[in-house]
Amino acid sequence: MMEVAAQKLRLMGGAVELVDIGEQELPDGQTLALPKVVTAKFGSDPNKYTVCIYGHVDVQPAKLEDGWATDPYNLTDINGNLYGRGASDNKAPVLAWIHAVEAYQALNIDLPVNVKFVIEGMEETGSNGLDAMILAQRDTFFTDVEGPKQDLHSGVYGGTVIEPMTDLIGILDTLISPSGKILVPGIREAVAPLSDEEWKMYQDIQFDIENYKTKIGVNQLMYSNKVDLLAHMWRYPTVSIHGIEGAFSDPGTKTVIPAKVTAKFSIRQVPNMDPAMVKKQVTDYLHSVFTKRKSPNKLKVTMVIGAKPWLADTQHPLYEAGKAAVKRVFDMDPDLIREGGTIPIARTFQDVTGKSIIMMPIGGFDDGLHSQNEKMSRYNYIEGTKLFIAYLNEVSQIKKTSV
């Protein structure tokens, strides 16, 4: 995929590099070369702004037997929707940005800004190696940038041994209450308070709770009030338990007691949480809970990914340009929302480069990112490409003193 992306950008006349970002060590001790990061440059006019676009071409795993209606790795057009793994996350947005540049080229119109691309292949596992690459190229590739980034995820010995699965389920049950309250001490206390201005922003957003329930296929949500629901979806931390490794999960019965089980869960990071502190709080808490069980089993807690939370400055001119582009293409004002979908590298881009970041999605909330039957609508794909074309033009109109 990295070579496909690089070749596409080369054929468009971009100055393309495949940047080596090192190796990854697997749990069994093997080392694999990480996919190289693709960088590309279009234009180098010092009198123009430079916009850097970030995207990724790696995807979440998918199997037909997981419940897909179509082959997840064969893009399928059904009633105006393009179904396939990665369609919305993140290949259509990457292609839409590429098409935006191609449109200017096809019309023999000079790009209104210089455009750079950073495309990686490890976003879904935490952007391994990308932090170091950004730091290394801060004063070279990124020096003239001005913006942006752009599954609904036993018989003989039973009763005589203290089962690992029982311990695991027991301690997982202490992470969160039935009402959604995180029970790990210190987590909720770190969250930035909800301001009156932010409350009003949620109140003014057009959002139909009943339609949302229908779209995601549930008959009851954690909150019935729109503001409470949006706030807990966008600006409060959550605990989600994703699965248990080592347990029997195939169809049928198998009366076995697993000797070792691993639970996978995540805690959404929001301002002003610090992943390093959260790791300590969760580890200490789970060990204290486990100790109370007086079990002879052993507990190990590890944090695979710890991405810092990121929050935009929506007063920045990049957002005014974004609003103007949305108005031009869709003839409506955009909602400014907060979103929990993790882009691990966003905070690093901002901290290392000192540049302003904007996230401008073109997918729908019902696109099924990380889930079965992921899609991108043709309408969003084509109109989203127009949005990106308009955005580049709007950025070029920002007064030099304001960025």
Side-chain angles (χ1 to χ4, degrees):
M1 274 313 308
M2 306 318 300
E3 185 52 50
V4 168
Q7 185 61 11
K8 173 73 174 174
L9 294 164
R10 284 191 201 105
L11 292 173
M12 292 165 55
V16 180
E17 289 187 27
L18 283 159
V19 182
D20 191 337
I21 55 172
E23 297 181 327
Q24 178 184 19
E25 184 173 345
L26 303 180
D28 63 3
Q30 283 189 77
T31 57
L32 291 176
L34 289 165
K36 293 181 179 179
V37 172
V38 175
T39 65
K41 304 176 188 178
F42 293 87
S44 56
D45 187 337
N47 296 314
K48 294 179 179 179
Y49 288 127
T50 297
V51 172
C52 182
I53 291 127
Y54 162 84
H56 67 93
V57 292
D58 57 311
V59 300
Q60 286 281 318
K63 295 179 181 177
L64 185 62
E65 55 266 32
D66 290 340
W68 283 74
T70 62
D71 177 357
Y73 293 105
N74 183 17
L75 193 68
T76 307
D77 187 347
I78 302 175
N79 298 327
N81 289 319
L82 303 169
Y83 289 90
R85 175 54 89 225
S88 185
D89 183 14
N90 182 240
K91 291 181 181 179
V94 169
L95 278 170
W97 276 113
I98 290 173
H99 296 330
V101 173
E102 285 181 310
Y104 280 101
Q105 293 177 336
L107 295 168
N108 292 316
I109 300 173
D110 285 343
L111 281 168
V113 294
N114 304 314
V115 176
K116 292 185 175 182
F117 285 89
V118 176
I119 301 174
E120 67 157 326
M122 290 296 288
E123 189 275 344
E124 297 292 3
T125 58
S127 296
N128 315 52
L130 190 58
D131 291 69
M133 177 262 180
I134 294 170
L135 188 60
Q137 300 211 18
R138 176 181 58 189
D139 300 323
T140 51
F141 183 81
F142 296 103
T143 186
D144 56 348
V145 175
E146 296 293 353
K149 181 198 179 282
Q150 308 221 79
D151 222 38
L152 254 174
H153 265 17
S154 285
V156 178
Y157 296 103
T160 66
V161 297
I162 299 174
E163 299 182 18
M165 181 71 83
T166 305
D167 280 340
L168 188 64
I169 298 297
I171 62 175
L172 287 176
D173 189 47
T174 69
L175 287 172
I176 190 167
S177 75
S179 64
K181 178 181 174 183
I182 295 177
L183 303 177
V184 180
I187 298 284
R188 290 179 294 115
E189 290 78 2
V191 178
L194 177 66
S195 67
D196 292 341
E197 181 182 3
E198 189 181 346
W199 184 93
K200 185 177 186 308
M201 183 179 77
Y202 296 150
Q203 184 65 46
D204 293 344
I205 284 177
Q206 182 181 347
F207 182 83
D208 186 319
I209 289 183
E210 291 305 313
N211 180 57
Y212 180 74
K213 284 160 59 175
T214 300
K215 286 283 189 182
I216 64 174
V218 300
N219 55 28
Q220 182 178 339
L221 297 167
M222 194 74 81
Y223 305 94
S224 57
N225 172 279
K226 179 179 78 171
V227 173
D228 285 342
L229 187 68
L230 292 178
H232 283 85
M233 185 160 60
W234 291 341
R235 62 103 57 219
Y236 287 121
T238 59
V239 169
S240 298
I241 298 170
H242 308 295
I244 296 177
E245 186 178 316
F248 175 70
S249 59
D250 293 332
T253 59
K254 185 179 182 183
T255 51
V256 64
I257 300 172
K260 177 183 177 181
V261 283
T262 303
K264 301 175 182 182
F265 66 93
S266 64
I267 299 178
R268 177 197 297 151
Q269 304 294 284
V270 301
N272 297 313
M273 294 168 68
D274 176 6
M277 179 58 71
V278 171
K279 178 183 179 182
K280 182 179 187 308
Q281 290 167 336
V282 172
T283 302
D284 290 349
Y285 175 69
L286 291 179
H287 277 292
S288 71
V289 170
F290 185 64
T291 299
K292 293 174 184 174
R293 296 182 67 86
K294 302 187 186 309
S295 170
N297 293 315
K298 293 180 172 59
L299 173 68
K300 181 181 180 183
V301 182
T302 57
M303 182 173 74
V304 180
I305 305 171
K308 291 183 178 179
W310 171 83
L311 188 62
D313 173 12
T314 56
Q315 304 305 311
H316 191 278
L318 286 179
Y319 280 81
E320 295 305 313
K323 290 177 187 177
V326 170
K327 185 73 173 177
R328 180 167 182 173
V329 175
F330 297 100
D331 195 27
M332 64 176 64
D333 294 321
D335 283 332
L336 301 181
I337 70 167
R338 290 171 65 156
E339 177 57 73
T342 306
I343 307 292
I345 208 65
R347 179 68 177 269
T348 300
F349 272 123
Q350 181 172 285
D351 289 350
V352 172
T353 68
K355 312 298 184 181
S356 297
I357 310 290
I358 182 172
M359 293 201 190
M360 188 180 295
I362 61 172
F365 87 90
D366 61 346
D367 276 357
L369 311 188
H370 294 198
S371 190
Q372 300 92 336
N373 302 316
E374 179 182 350
K375 68 169 179 65
M376 166 63 71
S377 76
R378 279 181 170 271
Y379 176 84
N380 282 348
Y381 184 33
I382 294 169
E383 299 305 305
T385 300
K386 295 178 187 176
L387 173 66
F388 293 161
I389 294 167
Y391 180 71
L392 294 178
N393 184 63
E394 293 294 341
V395 170
S396 74
Q397 306 301 313
I398 297 174
K399 293 180 180 179
K400 283 287 183 182
T401 56
S402 63
V403 177

